[in-house]
Amino acid sequence: MADICSLREAVSGLIHDGDTVAMEGFTHLIPHAAGHEVIRQGKRDLALVRMTPDLIYDQLIGAGCATSLRFSWGGNPGVGSLHRLRDAVEKGWPHKLAIREHSHADMANAYVAGASGLPFAVLRGYIGSDLPKVNDSIRFIDCPYTGEKLATTPAVRPDITVIHAQQADRQGNVLLWGILGVQKEAALAAKKVIVTVEEIVDKLDAPANACILPKWVVSAVCHVPRGATPSYAHGYYERDNRFYLAWDAIARNREAFTAWIQRHILDTEDFEGFLRVHAESQQEMSA
Amino acid sequence: MSIYTTNEMMTVAAARRLPDGAVCFVGIGLPSTAANLARLTSAPNVVLIYESGPIGAKPTVLPLSIGDGELAETADTVVSTPEIFRYWLQGGRVDVGFLGAAQIDRFANLNTTVIGPYDAPKTRLPGAGGAPEIAGSAKEVFIIMRQSKRAFDDKLDFVTSVGHMDGGEARQRAGLPGKGPQVVVTDLCVMEPDPVTRELTVVSIHPGISREQITEATGWPIKFAANVVETPMPQVAELETLRALQARTDAAHGKQEGSES
């Protein structure tokens, strides 16, 4: 049953060193505030899973929280590279990161398998691709009915999934809309689920087919307005494209990155504190 | 009007290839620009699908990321990412997969993963995204990318997404459902796979470009079709529409260097 609590309590109580963690959100609703809190609390040895590592995992990887990453597209959308991810993979900074690389279709299917309680997913994929040569968890089977060669991939079964959503009610039922990505599947694939939300409302005004996570599949709901920034929350605020661009220069350099993490995350109390310092540094940049 | 850039020529030439009414699975960047130009000019009934979930997206500004809110707001429906890949792509409902890549070989196999050895890369690229299954399952694949020796490579270090494998009927033998790459549009020319060998062959050269320039910008001895034509120049209406689209996009996102790819 969903516990409505602070993000600090949720992260300290539910995320443990060594956990397999999926923080999902396909460009939209990326749970950045939760990522920051994991860094702030100094979690270590996390096995990260996410289709598009994006800035959220670039930060976690650069801050030394992760030992492995399962992913399918590792760029800064519309900008270029994720420099912290590359530095960890290529130079082992701040320490070695083991990567397991898949395709989007594979990852999406792997979450469905996880949510369905199956050990693996089947898809028509990877034929002619070199990915199975560098990732031995991608395998092939012959269809028992037609003989067709199909690809398989292990289900994603996170210890904990973290997502951001627009609304929850006071019981902890969660409503999200817009681009949904794999969030529902990622939540249902996990043993525990943290949801940060823009708003807690008396009643969810949700049509019959809306994407709802009922309170009994959610471990904790945390009220974190703007908690997806610099990603966006449909109906609340837009993507901060300028910050995605600015991140390139911050993350390109180890010292600049470390200073940014120190000032914006380690030296702030919580996400509200981050937003305050973030606004200050945005002003300094444009001055 | 004769003043246009080679990028504009490439985008216009790619847009013209998209049949009206086609269901098109669109990659971000150049493919998305060309597909939306087609939608605004020669193919008003094209259905654009983005891997983040929008089906029938009609963005007024080009998306910067694959999951921009604009795509959801202008779509006929927005489904989950598993549904996009399972029901719509793998289910055989995509006519054209529209892709870009960092590198391509003579049989239109694509690399978006790594240049150099996988474990010690010279350049680490973002990786697969949706491309491997789009390349396999879309009924046809269109490719748009700028041409250079480095990009048009004789021997790829890594094949991320399948083209015509080692040519001929290799795709069919491997059991791939789609027909594979049918056209490659660059800033210099248009290539199509040879009907028998499936090797990329120049069929149309953009105005003002020489055969030598194309040969020079290809990492293997590129072949030219028996009847090479000149690509028709961009028309006024095509250029105006493309420039207005870019201007709206720049105004919405703030102009960025390198945002085109």
Side-chain angles (χ1 to χ4, degrees):
Chain A
M1 206 57 82
D3 193 10
I4 297 184
C5 65
S6 72
L7 182 55
R8 184 185 301 142
E9 291 170 297
V11 167
S12 85
L14 295 169
I15 303 183
H16 306 295
D17 289 356
D19 274 357
T20 297
V21 180
M23 298 185 168
E24 278 295 354
F26 206 131
T27 303
H28 179 215
L29 295 175
I30 298 174
H32 275 280
H36 289 182
E37 189 56 31
V38 168
I39 294 172
R40 215 175 263 121
Q41 294 190 17
K43 303 288 181 189
R44 286 294 176 267
D45 302 324
L46 301 178
L48 297 178
V49 184
R50 192 177 146 75
M51 291 179 67
T52 61
D54 206 272
L55 272 48
I56 185 172
Y57 278 8
D58 213 32
Q59 293 171 2
L60 284 161
I61 290 163
C65 303
T67 49
S68 70
L69 172 68
R70 176 174 178 177
F71 74 109
S72 44
W73 191 85
N76 178 345
V79 178
S81 289
L82 291 175
H83 299 292
R84 293 299 97 222
L85 167 60
R86 283 187 62 174
D87 201 17
V89 172
E90 293 168 24
K91 309 252 166 58
W93 192 90
H95 49 69
K96 262 186 90 69
L97 182 78
I99 56 168
R100 252 170 61 185
E101 215 174 331
H102 299 255
S103 69
H104 277 353
D106 168 317
M107 291 283 287
N109 276 286
Y111 276 119
V112 171
S116 311
L118 289 171
F120 69 94
V122 175
L123 67 151
R124 185 178 290 116
Y126 287 123
I127 288 179
S129 169
D130 286 339
L131 279 164
K133 296 181 190 164
V134 296
N135 180 346
D136 64 8
S137 74
I138 300 167
R139 296 181 194 170
F140 294 92
I141 53 164
D142 295 331
C143 168
Y145 305 100
T146 64
E148 183 182 358
K149 186 180 172 188
L150 297 166
T152 65
T153 187
V156 178
R157 306 297 296 270
D159 293 306
I160 183 148
T161 285
V162 184
I163 61 169
H164 186 75
Q166 281 98 341
Q167 295 180 347
D169 66 17
R170 296 189 194 286
Q171 285 73 52
N173 297 296
V174 169
L175 170 66
L176 55 158
W177 68 86
I179 286 177
L180 298 172
V182 291
Q183 285 100 305
K184 182 176 183 177
E185 291 76 13
L188 296 179
K191 297 188 188 95
K192 292 170 288 180
V193 181
I194 297 175
V195 187
T196 56
V197 295
E198 288 299 323
E199 244 190 308
I200 294 185
V201 297
D202 290 328
K203 190 173 173 354
L204 296 175
D205 184 18
N209 301 107
C211 184
I212 290 264
L213 289 170
K215 61 189 176 188
W216 49 272
V217 301
V218 176
S219 315
V221 168
C222 314
H223 183 211
V224 189
R226 302 194 67 83
T229 306
S231 164
Y232 72 103
H234 208 134
Y236 287 81
Y237 48 89
E238 309 251 305
R239 190 172 185 266
D240 186 354
N241 290 325
R242 274 190 354 174
F243 186 74
Y244 272 83
L245 191 61
W247 183 251
D248 189 73
I250 297 166
R252 199 176 274 277
N253 173 288
R254 289 176 189 170
E255 290 70 35
F257 168 80
T258 306
W260 188 90
I261 291 284
Q262 188 67 42
R263 179 178 173 194
H264 294 80
I265 299 182
L266 298 176
D267 289 350
T268 55
E269 277 277 288
D270 53 18
F271 200 67
E272 237 174 277
F274 163 81
L275 288 174
R276 205 163 42 239
V277 175
H278 178 60
E280 285 167 19
S281 58
Q282 297 283 94
Q283 261 180 346
E284 288 161 22
M285 267 168 56
S286 55
Chain B
M1 193 190 297
S2 61
I3 306 300
Y4 57 88
T5 67
T6 52
N7 273 343
E8 286 173 333
M9 180 71 255
M10 169 171 62
T11 304
V12 166
R16 287 172 183 160
R17 297 292 296 237
L18 203 57
D20 195 19
V23 177
C24 180
F25 199 122
V26 195
I28 210 72
L30 292 171
S32 173
T33 308
N36 278 290
L37 177 62
R39 184 178 59 78
L40 296 168
T41 54
S42 53
N45 300 305
V46 72
V47 178
L48 303 186
I49 296 185
Y50 288 80
E51 65 196 12
S52 55
I55 295 176
K58 294 166 276 292
T60 52
V61 302
L62 294 169
L64 185 65
S65 83
I66 197 79
D68 276 18
E70 171 83 3
L71 297 175
E73 276 160 16
T74 62
D76 298 330
T77 181
V78 182
V79 301
S80 72
T81 297
E83 187 178 321
I84 281 284
F85 283 108
R86 290 155 64 91
Y87 300 171
W88 300 88
L89 178 62
Q90 190 173 265
R93 295 183 170 82
V94 171
D95 297 319
V96 177
F98 212 146
L99 299 173
Q103 288 191 313
I104 186 168
D105 69 12
R106 70 175 76 201
F107 295 114
N109 301 294
L110 303 175
N111 176 18
T112 54
T113 301
V114 73
I115 295 171
Y118 185 79
D119 295 320
K122 208 159 80 187
T123 307
R124 177 64 231 201
L125 304 163
E133 284 73 28
I134 296 171
S137 285
K139 289 176 194 157
E140 298 184 11
V141 175
F142 290 8
I143 296 160
I144 178 169
M145 55 192 283
R146 276 183 280 273
Q147 196 168 347
S148 70
K149 242 192 176 102
R150 192 168 182 234
F152 283 65
D153 190 34
D154 195 26
K155 179 81 190 76
L156 299 182
D157 291 325
F158 197 95
V159 174
T160 313
S161 303
V162 67
H164 292 286
M165 307 177 89
D166 55 359
E169 302 300 317
R171 267 187 82 96
Q172 239 179 326
R173 280 199 303 275
L176 287 159
K179 281 194 282 185
Q182 298 301 301
V183 63
V184 179
V185 180
T186 79
D187 48 344
L188 304 179
C189 63
V190 179
M191 302 172 192
E192 289 176 6
D194 178 89
V196 178
T197 66
R198 300 291 192 276
E199 181 171 337
L200 289 177
T201 307
V202 176
V203 295
S204 177
I205 300 179
H206 300 337
I209 305 294
S210 68
R211 288 188 178 219
E212 291 67 36
Q213 276 173 283
I214 294 169
T215 303
E216 192 47 45
T218 313
W220 66 86
I222 180 79
K223 290 188 176 143
F224 293 81
N227 292 309
V228 180
V229 298
E230 184 177 85
T231 314
M233 244 183 240
Q235 292 168 1
V236 175
E238 289 168 324
L239 281 177
E240 282 177 356
T241 306
L242 175 58
R243 287 171 186 173
L245 177 64
Q246 298 280 19
R248 286 197 300 276
T249 302
D250 291 344
H253 298 320
K255 192 154 175 62
Q256 304 196 351
E257 279 173 53
S259 62
E260 202 172 6
S261 60

